[in-house]
Amino acid sequence: MSSRSLLPPSPPPVAIRSWPDRNALLADRAQVLEALVRGYLGAGRLGLLWLWAALFALGWSLVGTALTSLTDVLTAIVGGVFLLLGLGVMIPTGLAVGFGLRKDRRIRQLLHQWAELDRDPVLDRNLRRPGLSLAWLVPSVLLCAGGLGVCLVLPATAVPGHDTYALVVYGMGLGLICWLTGLIGVMKATAYRRWVQRSLASGPPR
């Protein structure tokens, strides 16, 4: 079963909605939104993102080992093995990250759809989660800054004849992985705050 199939469905069209009263609608709405928020910003999702990044970095390290070991025939053979191992880690990890981003996009769509059904200032207050957003935003910003710093500083400080091109490319690749991982976290945190401000404001649905 795919991760997308585990998500709640979209709210039914107006013509076939069968809630007996507004309280029932609000109860279902609150339950679904709570599940969607956990699936989008839960601590497990943050840990999973960093795990995928660590695995991708491991694969890139194997590729970097292959790039920096091309000195003779024997090391070229060993490097080829490391290259295959690295690609074997990076490709499925990259696909997993892509599926996760697609799931996040679907969750954002569902959050908007269910939030537009009605407004409940009391229950919606529990969905604002400013602390959880900060838990995503702060480390992600630091990771972005660190990765960007590596990408800029490493080639600028490389010593010709001492630091090989392969070593510089390897280091910049690790920095890029950190930057992209942090960027995903920043985008998720900011997208959630925008949703809170636009969809959970008091008043009738817009």
Side-chain angles (χ1 to χ4, degrees), residues 4-163:
R4 182 170 180 172
S5 64
L6 297 176
L7 294 175
S10 299
V14 177
I16 61 172
R17 289 176 185 172
S18 58
W19 284 290
D21 52 39
R22 183 170 181 265
N23 288 334
L25 183 152
L26 291 177
D28 284 350
R29 174 183 177 274
Q31 183 178 7
V32 171
L33 289 179
E34 178 68 27
L36 291 172
V37 170
R38 287 199 305 268
Y40 189 69
L41 282 187
R45 290 301 305 275
L46 179 60
L48 188 62
L49 174 62
W50 286 49
L51 175 61
W52 290 135
L55 288 175
F56 199 86
L58 173 62
W60 178 249
S61 296
L62 294 173
V63 173
T65 301
L67 294 176
T68 56
S69 63
L70 300 178
T71 57
D72 53 43
V73 176
L74 180 60
T75 57
I77 295 176
V78 175
V81 174
F82 278 104
L83 178 63
L84 292 176
L85 289 174
L87 293 177
V89 174
M90 293 174 64
I91 291 175
T93 302
L95 291 175
V97 173
F99 290 140
L101 293 176
R102 187 174 66 175
K103 179 180 179 180
D104 288 339
R105 182 175 62 183
R106 177 57 181 163
I107 290 177
R108 288 195 299 270
Q109 293 173 348
L110 291 172
L111 284 170
H112 285 288
Q113 292 170 4
W114 279 93
E116 288 173 355
L117 288 177
D118 208 325
R119 292 287 185 270
D120 189 339
V122 176
L123 295 178
D124 288 351
R125 190 179 302 118
N126 298 325
L127 299 173
R128 295 182 180 275
R129 310 286 175 86
L132 190 58
S133 297
L134 285 177
W136 274 81
L137 184 62
V138 173
S140 297
V141 169
L142 294 177
L143 195 61
C144 266
L148 184 60
V150 170
C151 291
L152 295 177
V153 173
L154 188 60
T157 59
V159 179
H162 181 270
D163 298 314

